Amino acid sequence: SHQNTIRSSMDMIEKSGVVQFVPWVDGDTDYLWIYGESTGGCWSYIGRTGGWQTVHLQTNGCVYVGIVAHELMHALGFWHEHTRADRDEYVIINEDRISPGTSNNFNKRTVAEADDLGFSYDYGSVMHYRKTAFSTGGNTIDTIDEDGKITNQVVGQRNGPSAVDIRQITFLYMCPNYVRKSVPDGKYFCNNDCPCWEGKGDCDSDSQCQGDLVCEYGNNDNEVCRKPTERCSVAKPCPEGLEGCTTDNDCIGDSVCNNNVCTAAPTPAP
């Protein structure tokens, strides 16, 4: 049924771990009104508008998991991937082939309008149009390489949010007071106000990690948030000074495990 399809799309987005769709209850004033008619297309407002806001799903063409997820991501605040401020490095928009009255779907946005959160361009995003979208003939979108040459890169999948889409949702919604970014000049690094989740860093203390996670040495020479049971192992060895080893193999390089702490190897006697 249509309801099951919509719920499946919501389930995909909820994998971000920071967004949950719940049924409307009497007294709610801000909510999504998801409905559809036999005409009217697929559309949504961008981000929270206040009060009730429409997500329109034409009943005979829009109720598929990827399309529903696309519209729900609009409601969560995401623009089309091909309208990013840096899109000209990755695609060419053939404006002369765009159907009259639909060019607004291809307008390039400023960083202030559509913040990429520090993520690279995602050809696999569910927010990216296919190459022939709203076309009068031929491609309205061509993908290009770093030299500007047209490529055969596939875009416009509607199977559901990509892995990058899910991470962007997580970054946008996980912090209560600001948006985390995946670059050092943003809010990527863990802090007490917005602690990191498992496997992420850089952290400086356990308080900068979610829940019971602890801040420990990772495989990329930085501190990351880990489960306490993962303190030092062969797979994730620790540097000198960190506690949690059981054998020398749990320590990096020539370090040795001494009383559960990785220490410098003793200097051989002359």
Side-chain angles (χ1 to χ4, degrees):
S1 70
H2 286 172
Q3 286 187 342
N4 289 338
T5 299
I6 293 169
R7 183 64 252 184
S8 294
S9 300
M10 291 176 173
D11 290 343
M12 291 179 176
I13 290 175
E14 287 180 358
K15 289 180 180 179
S16 64
V18 295
V19 172
Q20 184 178 15
F21 295 94
V22 297
W24 176 89
V25 295
D26 189 25
D28 286 344
T29 56
D30 292 358
Y31 57 90
L32 297 179
W33 181 37
I34 303 174
Y35 85 106
E37 300 169 322
S38 59
T39 60
C42 328
W43 57 269
S44 170
Y45 295 102
I46 308 296
R48 184 175 181 173
T49 61
W52 64 270
Q53 63 187 82
T54 301
V55 175
H56 188 274
L57 302 171
Q58 183 174 309
T59 54
N60 60 344
C62 298
V63 192
Y64 299 94
V65 288
I67 295 176
V68 175
H70 178 101
E71 301 306 334
L72 289 177
M73 283 190 64
H74 275 320
L76 290 175
F78 292 90
W79 294 87
H80 294 132
E81 187 73 2
H82 55 274
T83 65
R84 287 171 47 137
D86 62 349
R87 64 100 179 273
D88 295 334
E89 300 175 29
Y90 303 94
V91 297
I92 294 173
I93 304 299
N94 300 304
E95 297 180 1
D96 58 327
R97 300 174 183 173
I98 298 175
S99 299
T102 64
S103 61
N104 62 298
N105 293 298
F106 299 85
N107 291 342
K108 184 164 64 173
R109 303 294 170 179
T110 66
V111 173
E113 290 176 306
D115 194 334
D116 60 28
L117 306 179
F119 286 86
S120 298
Y121 195 92
D122 182 20
Y123 288 119
S125 173
V126 77
M127 303 307 292
H128 205 301
Y129 275 177
R130 66 186 187 278
K131 292 184 176 180
T132 56
F134 295 106
S135 174
T136 58
N139 289 350
T140 51
I141 300 175
D142 282 314
T143 57
I144 56 176
D145 61 21
E146 59 185 12
D147 296 319
K149 296 180 180 178
I150 293 176
T151 69
N152 294 321
Q153 175 69 51
V154 176
V155 291
Q157 66 84 12
R158 288 298 180 267
N159 299 318
S162 69
V164 175
D165 288 333
I166 295 298
R167 287 197 69 207
Q168 285 186 310
I169 295 170
T170 303
F171 272 52
L172 183 61
Y173 280 93
M174 72 170 292
C175 303
N177 299 318
Y178 49 72
V179 174
R180 186 189 293 280
K181 295 188 179 183
S182 65
V183 290
D185 60 349
K187 293 290 184 180
Y188 175 77
F189 297 111
C190 314
N191 56 62
N192 293 335
D193 293 327
C194 191
C196 284
W197 57 105
E198 186 176 355
K200 305 303 177 184
D202 278 334
C203 56
D204 294 319
S205 65
D206 292 352
S207 64
Q208 296 182 355
C209 298
Q210 296 275 359
D212 295 330
L213 299 178
V214 294
C215 182
E216 291 198 336
Y217 187 75
N219 289 336
N220 297 316
D221 295 329
N222 64 336
E223 303 279 331
V224 300
C225 294
R226 291 184 181 176
K227 294 178 181 178
T229 55
E230 295 179 348
R231 288 185 183 273
C232 305
S233 66
V234 175
K236 296 180 179 179
C238 289
E240 293 176 18
L242 283 191
E243 181 180 356
C245 61
T246 55
T247 70
D248 292 350
N249 291 330
D250 296 338
C251 301
I252 285 179
D254 295 329
S255 299
V256 296
C257 185
N258 185 12
N259 293 324
N260 299 119
V261 178
C262 291
T263 60
T267 302

